[in-house]
Amino acid sequence: MFHKILKSGCKAEESKLRTAQRLTNLIALFCILSWRVFWMTMLNRSAPDAPPTLALTATEIGVLDRLVNDKPKGRQKTLSHYLIKIARLGGYLARASDPPPGNTVMWRGLSRLTDIALGAMVGAEFMGN
């Protein structure tokens, strides 16, 4: 699974880097990203009631709270709650009959969340100055 994420999600084979050192650095970074996607997918299945801070930063949690609407407002905010929000950013429909989100939708959702969170941080800095 990890190698599938590395190959399909990161598209490691499509790299145009010309030196071994640059390719090694890129693959090392992709390994960290692939591990995080796989880890989050497995956490959603094995520890759904854990606190969201186990796998997400405060910025990511804040962006998800503002970006993805909750259906039940009184629901406790668990790790699974936020990981499903990430999966929804990646195209997961979150219907009652759907299986838990897989690595592909988690990859797409985390990629979108990272872009949005970076934009939020840059916007906050810009507005603060």
Side-chain angles (χ1 to χ4, degrees):
M1 248 330 134
F2 171 78
H3 289 96
K4 180 182 177 186
I5 299 167
L6 187 62
K7 184 177 177 181
S8 300
C10 295
K11 298 183 182 0
E13 293 177 339
E14 294 180 16
S15 171
K16 304 285 187 214
L17 299 176
R18 295 175 189 247
T19 67
Q21 183 62 42
R22 289 178 181 168
L23 190 57
T24 302
N25 291 340
L26 181 68
I27 290 175
L29 181 65
F30 282 168
C31 283
I32 294 167
L33 293 172
S34 298
W35 169 83
R36 187 174 189 216
V37 169
F38 185 64
W39 180 62
M40 290 171 108
T41 303
M42 293 301 107
L43 272 178
N44 192 33
R45 297 173 187 182
S46 64
D49 295 326
T53 54
L54 178 67
L56 301 170
T57 66
T59 302
E60 291 169 331
I61 291 169
V63 167
L64 286 169
D65 281 337
R66 289 177 190 84
L67 193 64
V68 182
N69 293 330
D70 293 330
K71 294 197 176 166
K73 295 286 184 189
R75 189 172 149 184
Q76 185 182 8
K77 310 270 181 157
T78 62
L79 177 62
S80 178
H81 175 79
Y82 285 100
L83 294 180
I84 298 248
K85 284 185 172 197
I86 291 172
R88 287 178 58 199
L89 287 175
Y92 182 68
L93 298 176
R95 298 175 294 207
S97 61
D98 287 343
N103 293 313
T104 303
V105 294
M106 290 300 292
W107 171 262
R108 286 190 302 236
L110 191 59
S111 178
R112 285 192 66 206
L113 176 62
T114 302
D115 291 343
I116 294 165
L118 285 172
M121 288 188 304
V122 168
E125 273 190 38
F126 180 73
M127 297 304 285
N129 288 334

